[in-house]
């Protein structure tokens, strides 16, 4: 490896040129990667709602109502004109309004008031719209502007899953910019305070920036990524990769103190850092990749992107960063400054003194934390990712106050079984949550031949051997009532039809997402623990060390994840996916840095001295990396608009803090308690065997009393 790194550094201009060319190519590819904000698209093919939705689109060529437009202060004639104009708008597939339900040539007062109240509240008219899956915020804004231009128009409100998806997509770029600015500023300040040159953070940011561009650009080979992956992948790659660059910088500083020749010092630093970075990257890589074990395909989407990012960061830091750092050596020398944090000796003494209380607290919290982490309530839809003061939520509140909360589902049953269909329709109408039921039998009657009906109505309700029933219910989005209704309607379908029935709707998709992810959480946890355990076993050639590290880290994860449960908060399920992978990956990096140092010095010193001194020696790289994660994620929590990203930021910041406490307070004590277990289950452990009394002083003397 030393010969290889010597060649890399010797041909540094070629290495830098290769990375820059690849970065330029990938940067050009980034805009070509499609972003998908609809979580239902990531249901596995085996999910019932996913199959039903695909079939309905094939048979009927469109989706069900996914937006509502409410306009107050306009006349009936202008409402008719707006409905006609709305049908011509970009992104609009179909429009329904009062004029499609009643005869407008007759006074409204003499017609069915229940029907009228579903579309007209005395102040304005409601329009139910089917929008394309890829409708943009600019197209939504165009609809709003057209409605506001109607003579007499007072208020215009637009809500629905399509509007929520468009709003989420519109906030991605804004939130992405905020996230990266916060991350870059945090990295620059923290690294500058913990290194010896003002250019060190610049070199690190350039290196990881190249790695992020490589990762984002290579997503083009996947075609489409989720909006959540787009938002979190880059900042998580930046946060996790900091550990590797800090290891390289720390080792270079140590080697340069021993070796004045910067070329030789850099070669030795690259050689010494490589196994540590490789082991940390391997652990994090498999931790992220374990997300792909999920049935819910968002796991594979995020896991592949995050794991690929680790690979890009690994090569960038082990090959590109040493070359650019050496190329800038003169500038780095001119911008040197004294380290702001010279010693962590007092901190190591505090950690030693608080170790036993910390372990007792951890043991007391273990069981309730584990149970609490598995009992958190989740949200699944895109609407929950919008801020309370977002335009969509404001509009939704206005529409709900006038017409009530509403969900529209589509049911497909075999055509021609009119008696069964009528019985099903009657049962659906009898449900207390039902607002309306539309089917061929309700608008035409069973006796009317389909050839005599309106062609547009026939094509929307009868097609491909299926009869479609449109059910509108008075239920809130993503609610227990909605999930219970899914069971009820599926039960009614099974009652009248032995097979070949299909149910589509946003709550139906959320129901299946909940069902799939409830088992996915344990699958991912076991997969990540198994993968990381195997890597740690091979790395340390020990049975005991992986157990100690994973126990300490998993406990910190349980405590972090249990906080929302005990606070009564509801969390987006994706935030939990992210924290499981990220906290595990980051905490394992910290644990590896500490363990490598402890094992090296345990060969020459008693266990107490080794554990305490290792805290002092590893505090700087671990504190640098963790403080970046904590401060940056708190900044994200306070600045972005998406509640889901805010939750991710808070979970990561709190998780990093808890993990650092576990690594510095609990892990050293575990190594001391289980010293014999580690000694006898670690290949070639070579631990120092002095008693601590009457033995010569170890090379790294400690003021603390020694133990065997």
């Amino acid at each position: 490896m030393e010969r290889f790194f010597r060649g890399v550094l010797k041909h540094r201009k070629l290495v830098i040129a290769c990375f820059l060319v690849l970065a330029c190519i990938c940067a050009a590819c980034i805009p070509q990667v499609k972003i998908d904000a609809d979580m239902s698209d990531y249901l596995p093919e085996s999910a019932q709602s996913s199959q039903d939705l695909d079939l309905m689109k094939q048979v009927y060529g469109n989706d069900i109502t996914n937006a509502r437009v409410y306009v107050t202060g306009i006349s009936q004639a202008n409402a008719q004109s707006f409905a006609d104009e709305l049908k011509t708008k970009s992104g609009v597939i179909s429009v329904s309004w009062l004029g499609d339900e009643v005869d407008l040539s007759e006074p409204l007062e003499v017609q069915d008031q229940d029907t009228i109240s579903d579309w007209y509240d005395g102040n304005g008219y409601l329009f139910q719209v089917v929008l394309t899956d890829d409708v943009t915020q600019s197209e939504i804004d165009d609809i709003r502007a057209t409605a506001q231009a109607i003579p007499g128009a007072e208020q215009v409100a637009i809500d629905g899953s399509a509007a929520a998806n468009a709003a989420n997509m519109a906030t991605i770029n804004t939130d992405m910019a905020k996230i990266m600015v916060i991350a870059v500023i945090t990295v620059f300040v923290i690294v500058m305070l913990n290194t010896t040159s003002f250019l060190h953070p610049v070199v690190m940011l350039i290196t990881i920036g190249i790695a992020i561009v490589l990762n984002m650009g290579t997503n083009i080979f996947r075609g489409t990524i989720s909006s959540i992956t787009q938002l979190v992948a880059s900042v998580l790659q930046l946060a996790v990769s900091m550990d590797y660059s800090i290891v390289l910088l720390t080792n270079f500083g140590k080697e340069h103190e021993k070796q004045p020749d910067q070329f030789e010092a850099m070669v030795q630093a690259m050689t010494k850092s490589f196994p540590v970075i490789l082991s940390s990257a391997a652990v994090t890589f498999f931790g992220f990749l374990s997300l792909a074990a999920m049935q819910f395909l968002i796991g594979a989407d995020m896991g592949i992107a995050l794991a690929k990012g680790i690979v890009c960061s690994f090569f960038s830091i082990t090959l590109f960063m040493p070359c650019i750092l050496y190329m800038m050596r003169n500038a780095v020398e001119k911008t040197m400054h004294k380290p702001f944090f010279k010693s962590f000796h007092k901190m190591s003494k505090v950690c030693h003194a608080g170790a036993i209380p910390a372990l007792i607290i951890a043991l007391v919290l273990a069981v309730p934390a584990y149970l609490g982490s598995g009992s958190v309530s989740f949200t699944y839809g895109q609407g929950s990712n919008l801020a309370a003061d977002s335009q969509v939520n404001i509009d939704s509140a206005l529409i709900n106050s006038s017409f009530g909360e509403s969900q529209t589902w589509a049911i497909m049953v075999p055509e021609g079984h009119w008696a069964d269909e009528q019985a099903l329709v009657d049962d659906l109408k009898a449900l207390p949550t039902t607002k309306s039921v539309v089917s061929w039998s309700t608008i035409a009657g069973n006796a009317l031949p389909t050839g005599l009906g309106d062609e547009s109505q026939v094509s929307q309700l009868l097609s491909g051997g299926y009869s479609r029933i449109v059910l509108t219910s008075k239920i809130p989005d993503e609610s227990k009532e909605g999930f219970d209704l899914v069971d009820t309607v599926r039960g009614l379908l099974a009652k009248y039809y032995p097979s070949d029935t299909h149910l589509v709707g946003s709550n139906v998709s959320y129901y299946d997402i909940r069902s799939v992810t409830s088992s996915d959480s344990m699958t991912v946890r076991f997969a990540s623990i198994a993968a990381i355990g195997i890597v740690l076993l091979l790395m340390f050639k020990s049975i005991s060390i992986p157990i100690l590290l994973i126990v300490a880290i998993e406990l910190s994860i349980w405590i972090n994840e249990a906080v929302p449960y005990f606070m009564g908060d509801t969390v987006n399920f994706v935030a939990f996916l992210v924290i499981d992978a990220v906290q595990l990956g980051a905490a394992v990096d910290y644990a590896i840095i500490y363990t490598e140092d402890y094992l090296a010095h345990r060969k020459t010193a008693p266990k107490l001295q080794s554990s305490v001194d290792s805290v002092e020696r590893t505090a700087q790289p671990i504190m640098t990396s963790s403080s970046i994660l904590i401060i940056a994620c708190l900044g994200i929590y306070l600045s972005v608009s998406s509640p889901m990203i805010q939750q991710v930021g808070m979970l990561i910041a709190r998780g990093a803090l808890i993990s650092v406490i576990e690594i510095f307070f609990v892990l050293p004590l575990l190594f001391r308690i289980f010293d014999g277990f580690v000694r006898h289950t670690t290949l070639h452990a070579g631990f120092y065997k002095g008693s601590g009394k009457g033995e010569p002083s170890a090379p790294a003397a400690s003021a603390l009393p020694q133990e065997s």
Side-chain angles (χ1 to χ4, degrees), residues 351 353-364 555 661-662 665-666 669:
C351 292
I356 293 177
L359 179 60
I360 293 172
I361 292 172
L363 293 175
V364 170
L555 179 56
I661 293 172
E662 292 280 332
F665 284 84
V666 177
L669 182 56

Side-chain angles (χ1 to χ4, degrees), residues 43 47-50 490 508-517:
L43 278 165
Q48 186 62 48
S49 60
S50 181
R490 283 179 172 170
V508 182
S509 296
Y510 300 153
Y511 178 95
D512 283 350
I513 290 175
R514 185 183 66 167
S515 300
V516 169
T517 55

Side-chain angles (χ1 to χ4, degrees), residues 85-162:
E85 186 176 2
L86 193 54
K87 294 176 183 178
T88 66
K89 290 292 182 181
S90 174
V92 176
I93 295 175
S94 64
V95 179
S96 300
W97 80 293
L98 180 63
D100 299 314
E101 303 297 320
V102 301
D103 185 358
L104 295 180
S105 63
E106 298 181 9
L108 297 182
E109 291 77 11
V110 300
Q111 302 194 55
D112 182 57
Q113 295 304 303
D114 288 338
T115 301
I116 293 173
S117 64
D118 287 338
W119 301 93
Y120 177 66
D121 66 345
N123 297 315
Y125 293 88
L126 183 69
F127 304 83
Q128 294 195 356
V129 187
V130 177
L131 299 175
T132 57
D133 292 336
D134 58 352
V135 67
T136 63
Q137 186 61 44
S138 61
E139 290 171 328
I140 299 288
D141 292 340
D142 181 50
I143 293 173
R144 186 183 301 276
T146 301
Q148 289 172 336
I150 300 174
E154 296 172 354
Q155 290 181 300
V156 177
I158 305 174
D159 76 346
S161 60

Side-chain angles (χ1 to χ4, degrees), residues 189-482:
V189 174
I190 299 297
V191 172
M192 183 192 68
L193 293 174
N194 287 277
T195 56
T196 56
S197 172
F198 292 106
L199 280 183
H200 281 159
V202 175
V203 172
M204 293 171 70
L205 287 170
I206 292 173
T207 302
I208 299 177
I210 292 288
I212 290 173
V213 170
L214 293 176
N215 187 33
M216 294 181 67
T218 50
N219 284 331
I220 194 170
F221 296 109
R222 302 173 59 204
T224 302
I225 63 171
S226 71
S227 58
I228 294 170
T229 300
Q230 173 77 356
L231 272 173
V232 304
S234 296
V235 70
L236 295 184
Q237 183 182 352
L238 172 64
V240 175
S241 301
M242 291 305 304
D243 298 347
Y244 316 148
S245 55
I246 290 168
V247 168
L248 180 65
L249 270 179
T250 301
N251 285 333
F252 176 62
K254 292 178 180 178
E255 294 298 326
H256 190 30
E257 289 177 0
K258 297 184 291 186
Q259 171 62 264
D261 186 344
Q262 290 201 44
F263 187 92
E264 291 299 324
M266 182 60 76
V267 170
Q268 294 304 317
M270 294 167 74
T271 307
K272 185 177 180 180
S273 302
F274 181 77
V276 179
I277 296 175
L278 177 61
S279 57
S280 295
V283 169
T284 310
F285 174 85
F286 286 109
F288 285 149
L289 203 59
S290 65
L291 289 171
M294 293 178 59
Q295 297 180 70
F296 191 45
L297 300 180
I298 195 72
D301 185 78
M302 292 181 61
I304 292 171
L306 292 171
K308 180 161 59 67
I310 294 301
V311 174
C312 294
S313 294
F314 171 76
F315 284 109
S316 296
I317 290 168
T318 56
L319 300 178
F320 178 79
M321 183 174 169
C323 293
I324 193 171
L325 188 60
Y326 184 72
M327 287 277 288
M328 298 173 63
R329 62 191 181 279
N330 293 330
V332 169
E333 289 285 348
K334 292 178 181 178
T335 58
M336 298 292 286
H337 62 79
K338 293 181 180 180
F340 292 93
F341 301 101
K342 296 181 180 181
S343 172
F344 290 87
H345 179 66
K346 291 183 179 179
M347 173 183 159
S348 67
K349 293 178 68 175
V350 171
C351 292
H352 171 71
I356 293 177
L359 179 60
I360 293 172
I361 292 172
L363 293 175
V364 170
L365 292 177
V367 174
Y370 175 76
L371 296 175
S373 67
S375 304
V376 178
S377 299
F378 298 115
T379 58
Y380 303 90
Q382 286 295 88
S384 62
N385 294 337
L386 293 171
D389 59 352
S390 66
Q391 188 63 54
V392 173
N393 282 335
I394 293 172
D395 288 355
S396 183
L398 176 62
I399 296 175
N400 289 340
S401 66
S402 298
F403 299 96
E405 294 182 291
S406 176
Q407 292 287 314
T408 301
W409 299 354
I411 301 169
M412 292 170 57
V413 297
E415 182 184 349
H417 301 264
W418 303 118
D420 290 332
E421 181 176 327
Q422 185 60 54
L424 173 62
V425 168
D426 291 341
D427 282 353
L428 292 174
K429 287 182 176 180
L431 295 175
T433 55
T434 299
K435 288 183 70 174
S436 67
V437 180
V438 178
S439 69
W440 178 251
S441 60
T442 62
I443 65 170
N446 299 339
L448 180 64
T450 59
L452 300 179
D454 180 83
E455 184 178 348
S456 63
Q457 289 182 326
V458 172
S459 64
Q460 286 298 303
L461 297 174
L462 303 175
S463 181
Y466 288 98
S467 177
R468 183 158 75 162
I469 302 168
V470 179
L471 170 66
T472 302
S473 303
K474 299 174 287 186
I475 54 172
D477 188 31
E478 238 185 304
S479 61
K480 183 181 184 301
E481 300 95 317

Side-chain angles (χ1 to χ4, degrees), residues 38-115:
D38 190 349
M39 290 298 100
S40 63
D41 290 341
Y42 292 91
L43 278 165
E45 293 183 1
S46 59
Q48 186 62 48
S49 60
S50 181
Q51 297 175 1
D52 292 350
L53 181 59
D54 289 342
L55 179 62
M56 195 192 72
K57 288 182 177 180
Q58 292 174 15
V59 173
Y60 289 96
N62 68 344
D63 206 339
I64 57 176
T65 297
N66 53 14
R68 297 185 296 176
V69 181
Y70 175 48
V71 188
T72 66
I74 62 175
S75 66
Q76 188 179 103
N78 286 333
Q80 175 69 72
S81 299
F82 175 65
D84 295 337
E85 186 176 2
L86 193 54
K87 294 176 183 178
T88 66
K89 290 292 182 181
S90 174
V92 176
I93 295 175
S94 64
V95 179
S96 300
W97 80 293
L98 180 63
D100 299 314
E101 303 297 320
V102 301
D103 185 358
L104 295 180
S105 63
E106 298 181 9
L108 297 182
E109 291 77 11
V110 300
Q111 302 194 55
D112 182 57
Q113 295 304 303
D114 288 338
T115 301

Side-chain angles (χ1 to χ4, degrees), residues 276 540 549 587-601 607-619 621-622 663-672:
V276 179
F540 292 111
L549 299 192
V588 166
D589 284 347
Y590 308 153
I592 288 173
I593 292 172
Y594 174 82
T595 304
E596 291 270 11
D597 190 279
Y598 172 79
L599 293 178
H601 288 83
K607 59 184 181 182
L608 177 57
Q609 181 178 328
S610 297
S611 66
V612 175
D613 287 350
S614 290
V615 171
E616 182 178 351
R617 283 187 293 265
T618 60
I622 294 176
I663 298 302
F664 283 145
F665 284 84
V666 177
L667 188 60
L669 182 56
L670 291 178
F671 272 118
R672 295 203 297 274

